[in-house]
Amino acid sequence: MKRADEHRIHQLFEVSVWLKGAHALIECVGGILLYVVTTGTIASWVNMFTQEELIEDPNDFIASHLSQMAAEFSVASKQFYAFYLLSHGAIKLLLVVGLLRGKLWSYPASLAALGAFMVYQLYRYSYTHSPGLLALTVFDAIVMWLIWQEWKAVRRHMAG
């Protein structure tokens, strides 16, 4: 691989890892918030944000679905999502720190973790058909390719 191509891939790798780190941090904050905020508070926030739209258009698809989801949001669901977001974010933060510091263990660990997350995301997509999950999975695939390229370059430089 040409030196200029390798440099461009390294730059894309760093940007994608920083984006993954930002996303992981948001997940951690979201998970912590879900742990500390009650389901009643969540329902009242959603109602506050959707109330005006529902008065204007009682059949508004997004507002009515958000309101219904908030009303049905159980403590068990809240605990699951809080745990999922916090653990998912913490794992990714650990891997991001390892990748940015060039720790050799972090390359295969990141590939394995992202691969597992992608499998789960595709499984969830088969139920939800969420475009966001699909976009996240495509982004993860690109990040995996960049991690693989970076890992090959690191090993090549170590051998040379």
Side-chain angles (χ1 to χ4, degrees):
M1 182 180 291
K2 289 186 221 171
R3 184 86 174 120
D5 291 339
E6 191 174 288
H7 181 69
R8 266 194 291 281
I9 288 173
H10 176 73
Q11 288 176 320
L12 287 171
F13 163 78
E14 283 194 339
V15 168
S16 71
V17 171
W18 278 105
L19 287 172
K20 273 289 174 202
H23 185 246
L25 195 56
I26 290 167
E27 285 180 325
C28 287
V29 169
I32 291 168
L33 285 174
L34 274 177
Y35 270 124
V36 298
V37 176
T38 67
T39 55
T41 302
I42 293 169
S44 67
W45 286 347
V46 170
N47 288 334
M48 182 178 67
F49 288 121
T50 59
Q51 182 179 22
E52 208 171 293
E53 185 61 36
L54 289 172
I55 290 170
E56 189 177 302
D57 179 10
N59 297 319
D60 183 278
F61 181 80
I62 294 173
S64 63
H65 277 78
L66 280 174
S67 187
Q68 180 183 356
M69 285 171 52
E72 296 171 356
F73 196 50
S74 70
V75 173
S77 293
K78 182 183 89 105
Q79 299 289 33
F80 168 78
Y81 286 115
F83 173 77
Y84 177 80
L85 286 172
L86 195 52
S87 61
H88 194 254
I91 290 167
K92 286 197 301 187
L93 276 177
L94 174 71
L95 295 171
V96 163
V97 168
L99 289 170
L100 291 174
R101 290 184 169 188
K103 302 293 183 186
L104 289 180
W105 61 264
S106 66
Y107 295 96
S110 295
L111 292 171
L114 279 176
F117 291 150
M118 287 173 61
V119 168
Y120 181 72
Q121 288 160 196
L122 290 172
Y123 165 75
R124 291 290 301 157
Y125 177 78
S126 72
Y127 288 97
T128 65
H129 303 291
S130 165
L133 272 176
L134 207 51
L136 183 59
T137 303
V138 168
F139 179 67
D140 284 347
I142 292 167
V143 172
M144 280 184 76
W145 182 82
L146 290 167
I147 291 169
W148 177 255
Q149 295 305 312
E150 184 72 11
W151 191 26
K152 286 190 327 189
V154 166
R155 289 185 304 184
R156 193 169 42 250
H157 291 293
M158 287 178 66

